Amino acid sequence: MARNIQSLERAAAMLRLLAGGERRLGLSDIASSLGLAKGTAHGILRTLQQEGFVEQDDASGRYQLGAELLRLGTTYLDVHELRARALVWTDDLARSSGESVYLGVLHQQGVLIVHHVFRPDDSRQVLEIGAMQPLHSTALGKVLSAYDPVAHSEALEADRKAFTDRTTCDWADFEHILDLTRARGYAADVEETWEGVASVAAPIHNRRRMPVGAVGITGAVERMCRDGELRPELVAAVRDCARAVSRDLGAGRF
């Protein structure tokens, strides 16, 4: 059995202690509550403070939870609210389009799949929740890069690998694609990531009109495209789904 890391256990206990109190706590209070030497407690607090998980009041020297912990907690809640609000609409999109539906968010220079609805047929399929997709070649990634400044920066720093001979790797060409994505309200991926596979995706916004994710459908090129272009009725269905989820998140009409 793997052994727990004692310093991490102590840091977690310290955060729980600060979260449970109604006031700031001093070093002595924290050390005595957790049964730690003051030097040990101070070292952990200093590390947590450097990472933004703990803040120290300049006047009293007491400690409280930091803004970084709040940001992480808000991100967790945002993703779960996004998925909860999208459940019905993504099911409807899978039925109307006949294709697989993916819901993605920005995570570590890529797109994290947080919800996946199977194509509504009897074919063998693999659940891809938790999978990562690239920002520069997938429809979900292009949407996030076009609408989210953080995703845009991440795409700039990431290795834009060529997956097929259609993948756009040049930064200037990629910026042109992002301009086009913003102009028409959706992004396309026609054999840029996988041979024989096409995707279309649109952005989802929250009540502050900030991009919080993207929703899209993926399927075989022969089903998704007509005369070399994405079928307009599939594009419209994806955009309608994105707008519906955005409205449920409080974004109003787009």
Side-chain angles (χ1 to χ4, degrees):
M1 179 181 291
R3 297 179 60 186
N4 292 338
I5 301 175
Q6 188 180 56
S7 59
L8 292 180
E9 289 181 329
R10 289 172 171 175
M14 202 169 284
L15 292 173
R16 291 191 188 98
L17 179 65
L18 291 170
E22 296 181 357
R23 56 185 176 82
R24 298 185 181 97
L25 297 175
L27 176 60
S28 298
D29 298 325
I30 295 171
S32 61
S33 295
L34 300 178
L36 300 175
K38 283 188 178 181
T40 301
H42 185 258
I44 296 172
L45 284 166
R46 186 171 63 247
T47 300
L48 290 173
Q49 186 177 0
Q50 290 171 349
E51 296 298 325
F53 296 134
V54 164
E55 296 175 355
Q56 186 179 28
D57 181 65
D58 292 334
S60 67
R62 292 175 176 269
Y63 296 90
Q64 63 183 18
L65 293 180
E68 180 64 13
L69 200 63
L70 177 62
R71 186 190 69 81
L72 291 177
T74 301
T75 300
Y76 174 84
L77 291 174
D78 282 349
V79 169
H80 282 262
E81 183 183 7
L82 170 63
R83 184 177 181 276
R85 298 289 186 180
L87 289 176
V88 172
W89 299 111
T90 50
D91 282 349
D92 287 347
L93 178 58
R95 282 193 295 269
S96 66
S97 68
E99 301 295 348
S100 301
V101 179
Y102 295 88
L103 188 67
V105 298
L106 175 66
H107 181 70
Q108 296 180 349
Q109 292 190 333
V111 183
L112 174 67
I113 303 302
V114 297
H115 186 53
H116 174 200
V117 183
F118 284 164
R119 185 172 64 253
D121 59 19
D122 296 328
S123 62
R124 184 178 179 84
Q125 300 174 62
V126 177
L127 188 66
E128 295 187 41
I129 294 175
M132 293 291 294
Q133 294 186 2
L135 286 170
H136 70 288
S137 64
T138 62
L140 293 171
K142 292 175 190 176
V143 164
L144 293 174
S145 299
Y147 288 90
D148 184 343
V150 176
H152 183 269
S153 298
E154 295 286 357
L156 173 63
E157 297 172 4
D159 177 23
R160 293 182 297 281
K161 175 182 175 181
F163 298 105
T164 74
D165 58 5
R166 292 172 175 261
T167 308
T168 299
C169 301
D170 179 76
W171 181 248
D173 292 340
F174 184 63
E175 286 282 24
H176 175 71
I177 290 174
L178 299 187
D179 288 340
L180 181 61
T181 297
R182 285 185 287 265
R184 62 189 184 181
Y186 71 91
D189 166 11
V190 180
E191 297 190 282
E192 294 178 52
T193 310
W194 303 282
E195 295 282 357
V197 177
S199 302
V200 58
I204 296 172
H205 297 80
N206 64 11
R207 61 183 58 87
R208 297 185 298 275
R209 296 295 182 95
M210 298 294 292
V212 293
V215 64
I217 58 175
T218 298
V221 170
E222 58 266 25
R223 294 195 308 268
M224 294 282 293
C225 298
R226 183 186 301 128
D227 298 326
E229 299 291 334
L230 286 166
R231 290 165 52 197
E233 65 269 26
L234 295 181
V235 173
V238 169
R239 296 192 67 194
D240 286 345
C241 178
R243 283 192 287 262
V245 178
S246 297
R247 286 196 299 270
D248 277 5
L249 287 170
R253 298 185 65 85
F254 273 85

